Amino acid sequence: KLLHITSGQVLLAVGNRFYGPLNLLEDASHRPYVNLQLRSGTRVVKGFMADDAHPAVMLTVNQSGFQEDLHAQAPVDIVFVRSLKRMAFDMFTDEALLSKLSQSIAENRSERERFEEWATTQLEAAELFSDDKRIRAARRSRIRRLMHEIQSNDRFFTTITDLLSRAVDRRAKDQSFFEAIVKQLADNPALMQRLESHRVIAAQINHLRETVSQLEIKRNALKADIARKTEIERREAEKSYQSLLDRKDALEREVESRTRALGLANEVGELLQKKNELEEKVNGLAQKREKFYNEIESVDAHLQNAVQNAHKYAFDGAIASKLLQAASEWETDSQKANFTQRAQLISRLKVSAESGPALRNRLVEEVQRYRNYDVNTILNLFISVTQNFLTVFSGDPGSGKTSICEIIAHVLGLRSLYKNAAVLESGLWRNPLASNRFLTVPVERGWTSKRDFIGYYNPLSKTFESVDSRRIEAFAELDAESRLAGADLPYFMLLDEANLSPMEYYWGDFMRLCDAQGRTEYVSFGGGATYAVTDALRFLATINNDFTTESLSPRLIDRADVIRLPELETASGIMPAAGDLKPLVSWKAMKELFGAHTQAGRFEETEDLLDDIYAAFRSSLGICVSARTRLAIEGYVRAASRVFEANGRPAHISAVDYAVVQRIMPRIDGNGAQYREKLEALQSLFDGNGLDLSRRTLAEILERGDNSMGWYRFF
């Protein structure tokens, strides 16, 4: 560094040898070095050598210079080469020289015998050794010496082999010893070839080969014997199987004969039961007819008396009341009969035979025709609708909330029921469109009770009055279907713009049904109209988040899934065609595929993670997750972990992600910097467990809150 040497030639002094001259080079740190280039070429380095006849004359001088503005000196050794002996140094070691030769010569005994003949013709070759005659002659001498040593070593090879054999016998039970031998043979194939070439090893190998040959002969004989016995047993089994088949056919014929006899007996019993039921109906109708006749006679007498005394009965309402009551009873009976016939027709409709993965894939493909959602987003919709009595779709206007509800009903065949031939021919619906099992209810501002939603019973006209009669008819149809085992189609009712009025006011009677868990419950609408609500009824609700709408209460949020839809792309905003007929999907198939099965799914792997999340919401935000919500999350995770795709993370982690966003995060509602810090702590929990959807949703809440004077809300 002091001398700033960047080029020039130097000698490399090693003992009494001086290699060079060599070019002086610099590395990246400005340190000097030389390259002997021994990795390629002939490995001959030229230089000088000092001995007694040619002593080295050395001179050390101090070279002056400046280093960091300071004067300094460095010693430099100078050698006078004019008096030294010029040399060509052979840098090949014995091992390297033999390695060079072994590229064309095998190491076994038979190949080694050819070495002398090969050496005679090849030792003069300059390309393998050197152009220097002295180097070439020295290397030939070294090769002959090494070959002589190899031949001498071969005399001891037999003794070494015998010793190795005895050592192996002594360590027969040492597993590590044999593993070491196998590793050596695997790492050095040439060693195996040398062992096989030795006469002792060769004799043992030949003996083992003869033993193997004898064992193969015995094995083939055993195979033939086994095959012969197997064939005999197979023939006996076929005879036994044929005998069993004949016995089975005979039993089936006997069962069929007895079934026909039992069927006739059952039909007779059913006919007798129907006869008794018809007789009871006839008796009942006869009683009603006699009652009507008596009332008519009473009315006639009353009318005659009224005509004669018109001034007394001009304002008497008895006649009108009796007529209205009779008309109401007749209309009620007629409607009940109509709803029963509708239920019977619904139970006979053909449903799709698809189930399991086939049904899952078809539903996803059908929805993706209209919305460019990923697979798990679509499956989340079906799981939520199947498991929850109420599913809420939240978002800004135009985000596709109403349309996705219509698409879900469409792919399940619920919006094209009116095109079914059996429905059209039945004439049970005045308007065939009323047969569809997807009903939209536009919610209006100012609704305060179920009277606004369903309607009310008018005691004066003794009829049920409603803005849309299909609403009360939907409950009447489900009531009739509850008495039939074959009715198995879902019914979706959409509360559009549901939070224009407080849902707890007009939908309050249905909140208790959220905990039905598959049980049949009952609702009353007045006038003796009490209807059974089956598990097949599902409510969907769309809500907007602005100052014109009402907030959802914690009571309602605790009973529903709240789904925030992805942003709707313009190109994916198409809707199903009105005449597109879709196969009906049974409610049983939906429950089996998307239902909350307690013994299925990978919920146990997520219990610790969910416990951490529950604790974080409770300690940070004061949000206690109720037992109802925990059960709902468990059911959701079990179903989703079975059907979700693993997109870069396990399916059960994605299931937890969706469940947290839809069941717990809707309760986030607070303000202030301290509340924001607690949300940021929750964000770190989401980041550490790969809950990407929860993390993104919370980031949106934080961003909206920062732009809303520090008010952080889910909605």
Side-chain angles (χ1 to χ4, degrees):
K1 184 175 181 181
L2 174 66
L3 302 178
H4 304 287
I5 298 175
T6 56
S7 63
Q9 291 187 325
V10 297
L11 297 179
L12 179 63
V14 181
N16 61 344
R17 295 184 179 186
F18 298 90
Y19 299 111
L22 301 171
N23 290 326
L24 185 64
L25 305 175
E26 274 191 357
D27 62 10
S29 300
H30 304 290
R31 294 174 299 186
Y33 73 97
V34 293
N35 186 359
L36 293 180
Q37 297 182 347
L38 297 180
R39 295 184 179 180
S40 60
T42 61
R43 299 198 183 185
V44 175
V45 179
K46 294 183 179 180
F48 305 90
M49 184 172 177
D51 53 22
D52 295 338
H54 304 84
V57 179
M58 300 286 294
L59 179 64
T60 300
V61 299
N62 288 326
Q63 179 70 38
S64 298
F66 289 90
Q67 182 174 2
E68 298 179 357
D69 297 331
L70 296 176
H71 184 268
Q73 292 184 339
V76 178
D77 294 329
I78 298 175
V79 60
F80 295 90
V81 300
R82 188 178 297 273
S83 61
L84 298 180
K85 182 180 180 182
R86 290 183 176 272
M87 295 290 293
F89 299 106
D90 186 2
M91 306 305 290
F92 258 131
T93 64
D94 291 347
E95 292 80 1
L97 186 61
L98 287 179
S99 175
K100 191 74 172 179
L101 292 174
S102 65
Q103 295 176 4
S104 60
I105 298 298
E107 293 185 358
N108 57 49
R109 180 183 296 276
S110 60
E111 292 294 335
R112 199 178 301 115
E113 291 174 353
R114 295 195 301 114
F115 180 75
E116 291 295 337
E117 179 182 356
W118 178 87
T120 302
T121 58
Q122 296 295 327
L123 286 179
E124 298 297 329
E127 64 273 11
L128 289 180
F129 302 101
S130 173
D131 293 334
D132 192 306
K133 293 182 179 180
R134 293 172 298 173
I135 296 296
R136 201 162 53 242
R139 288 183 176 176
R140 281 199 295 269
S141 299
R142 290 169 62 192
I143 290 172
R144 291 190 180 94
R145 176 178 55 78
L146 291 172
M147 290 302 303
H148 177 72
E149 292 178 358
I150 292 173
Q151 292 174 357
S152 300
N153 290 337
D154 284 342
R155 289 195 297 270
F156 301 99
F157 191 72
T158 300
T159 303
I160 293 173
T161 303
D162 292 339
L163 291 173
L164 178 62
S165 177
R166 287 195 294 272
V168 169
D169 292 339
R170 286 196 302 270
R171 303 187 65 175
K173 296 182 180 181
D174 189 346
Q175 185 67 24
S176 60
F177 174 74
F178 285 98
E179 290 177 354
I181 292 178
V182 171
K183 185 176 185 305
Q184 288 293 330
L185 293 177
D187 295 341
N188 189 0
L191 178 59
M192 188 63 191
Q193 295 177 357
R194 294 185 62 187
L195 288 173
E196 290 180 354
S197 67
H198 192 266
R199 57 182 179 80
V200 176
I201 303 298
Q204 292 181 357
I205 291 176
N206 291 332
H207 174 70
L208 292 175
R209 285 174 178 168
E210 291 177 0
T211 304
V212 170
S213 177
Q214 294 176 0
L215 291 175
E216 287 180 348
I217 294 173
K218 292 182 180 180
R219 182 195 62 184
N220 294 334
L222 288 173
K223 280 186 176 180
D225 186 47
I226 291 172
R228 180 178 57 80
K229 291 182 179 179
T230 302
E231 180 65 20
I232 294 173
E233 292 178 356
R234 185 184 63 80
R235 292 176 182 174
E236 293 178 353
E238 286 181 352
K239 291 179 181 179
S240 300
Y241 179 68
Q242 187 60 43
S243 175
L244 290 173
L245 287 178
D246 296 339
R247 177 60 178 165
K248 174 177 173 292
D249 293 339
L251 290 174
E252 287 180 349
R253 289 192 295 270
E254 183 179 354
V255 168
E256 184 178 358
S257 174
R258 295 188 179 185
T259 301
R260 285 197 298 268
L262 290 174
L264 293 175
N266 291 335
E267 289 180 3
V268 171
E270 292 176 358
L271 290 174
L272 289 175
Q273 183 178 357
K274 289 183 179 180
K275 175 177 175 294
N276 294 333
E277 291 176 355
L278 291 175
E279 287 179 351
E280 291 178 359
K281 288 183 178 180
V282 169
N283 293 334
L285 291 174
Q287 293 175 1
K288 287 185 178 181
R289 182 185 63 180
E290 184 177 357
K291 177 182 178 182
F292 288 154
Y293 284 158
N294 292 335
E295 290 179 353
I296 291 172
E297 290 177 359
S298 175
V299 169
D300 286 342
H302 193 74
L303 286 174
Q304 291 176 4
N305 190 18
V307 170
Q308 295 174 1
N309 302 279
H311 63 283
K312 295 181 179 179
Y313 299 99
F315 300 99
D316 192 344
I319 297 174
S321 177
K322 292 293 184 181
L323 290 176
L324 286 174
Q325 182 176 357
S328 175
E329 291 178 357
W330 177 85
E331 184 176 1
T332 300
D333 291 341
S334 176
Q335 288 178 345
K336 286 184 178 179
N338 177 264
F339 292 137
T340 301
Q341 292 173 355
R342 291 184 186 183
Q344 292 172 346
L345 175 62
I346 293 297
S347 66
R348 294 194 299 268
L349 292 178
K350 182 180 179 181
V351 298
S352 172
E354 291 178 315
S355 63
L359 176 60
R360 166 196 180 274
N361 296 337
R362 184 180 71 80
L363 293 179
V364 170
E365 291 173 0
E366 291 285 348
V367 174
Q368 286 181 335
R369 292 176 57 187
Y370 311 108
R371 291 293 180 270
N372 189 24
Y373 295 159
D374 63 84
V375 174
N376 287 351
T377 296
I378 296 173
L379 293 173
N380 170 62
L381 300 176
F382 286 108
I383 296 172
S384 297
V385 170
T386 303
Q387 294 192 12
N388 295 281
F389 186 65
L390 171 65
T391 302
V392 178
F393 294 83
S394 172
D396 297 328
S399 58
K401 302 183 296 296
T402 302
S403 60
I404 193 60
C405 295
E406 295 174 351
I407 291 171
I408 292 173
H410 173 74
V411 300
L412 296 177
L414 304 181
R415 298 181 70 230
S416 57
L417 206 65
Y418 72 100
K419 288 191 170 291
N420 190 288
V423 173
L424 290 173
E425 295 171 0
S426 68
L428 295 174
W429 288 268
R430 289 188 298 272
N431 183 357
L433 283 172
S435 63
N436 287 340
R437 297 176 74 85
F438 177 78
L439 178 60
T440 300
V441 180
V443 177
E444 300 177 8
R445 184 176 296 280
W447 282 12
T448 58
S449 69
K450 64 183 177 184
R451 291 164 58 95
D452 301 308
F453 169 32
I454 301 296
Y456 65 97
Y457 178 76
N458 189 336
L460 296 178
S461 63
K462 300 188 183 301
T463 58
F464 199 89
E465 298 182 5
S466 175
V467 175
D468 187 353
S469 61
R470 290 180 302 171
R471 302 175 192 175
I472 188 65
E473 288 181 1
F475 289 97
E477 287 184 19
L478 291 170
D479 179 74
E481 291 174 8
S482 69
R483 294 187 289 273
L484 291 177
D488 188 32
L489 287 181
Y491 198 112
F492 289 172
M493 192 172 292
L494 171 62
L495 304 176
D496 201 20
E497 305 289 348
N499 62 336
L500 279 177
S501 294
M503 288 189 66
E504 290 79 6
Y505 291 174
Y506 67 85
W507 201 73
D509 284 2
F510 297 95
M511 289 185 64
R512 63 182 177 83
L513 303 184
C514 294
D515 299 327
Q517 297 291 335
R519 302 188 309 272
T520 299
E521 296 289 346
Y522 295 86
V523 292
S524 177
F525 301 130
T530 300
Y531 299 110
V533 179
T534 66
D535 183 60
L537 175 63
R538 287 292 182 264
F539 280 95
L540 313 178
T542 63
I543 63 173
N544 285 321
N545 305 322
D546 54 44
F547 66 93
T548 66
T549 58
E550 302 288 342
S551 300
L552 301 183
S553 70
R555 290 178 59 241
L556 190 138
I557 294 175
D558 194 43
R559 289 168 168 80
D561 263 11
V562 180
I563 297 177
R564 300 180 65 179
L565 296 175
E567 292 185 6
L568 181 62
E569 297 180 4
T570 304
S572 66
I574 61 176
M575 289 298 295
D580 191 5
L581 185 64
K582 291 295 181 182
L584 293 169
V585 178
S586 71
W587 188 237
K588 179 181 179 182
M590 291 287 290
K591 297 285 283 186
E592 289 178 350
L593 181 57
F594 302 118
H597 305 295
T598 57
Q599 301 301 324
R602 303 176 63 178
F603 177 74
E604 290 73 13
E605 299 182 15
T606 63
E607 285 186 292
D608 293 340
L609 173 58
L610 285 171
D611 287 341
D612 292 342
I613 293 173
Y614 299 153
F617 271 90
R618 182 177 62 253
S619 60
S620 298
L621 305 178
I623 297 176
C624 294
V625 182
S626 66
R628 176 190 296 110
T629 299
R630 296 191 183 203
L631 286 175
I633 290 177
E634 177 180 350
Y636 180 93
V637 171
R638 289 185 183 277
S641 62
R642 296 195 312 271
V643 299
F644 268 10
E645 287 188 346
N647 296 326
R649 58 177 178 174
H652 58 277
I653 296 298
S654 297
V656 171
D657 204 3
Y658 277 93
V660 169
V661 171
Q662 296 171 180
R663 271 288 181 173
I664 307 178
M665 293 185 70
R667 297 180 60 183
I668 293 178
D669 188 0
N671 65 324
Q674 187 176 4
Y675 195 82
R676 192 187 197 286
E677 292 178 359
K678 294 177 180 179
L679 292 178
E680 290 177 345
L682 195 62
Q683 187 74 297
S684 63
L685 175 63
F686 295 157
D687 288 335
N689 290 281
L691 304 182
D692 297 336
L693 181 60
S694 301
R695 175 182 53 79
R696 291 196 301 270
T697 303
L698 187 54
E700 294 174 5
I701 294 174
L702 291 171
E703 183 179 359
R704 287 199 310 270
D706 293 340
N707 297 327
S708 302
M709 301 180 67
W711 194 277
Y712 304 98
R713 306 177 62 188
F714 180 85
F715 296 103

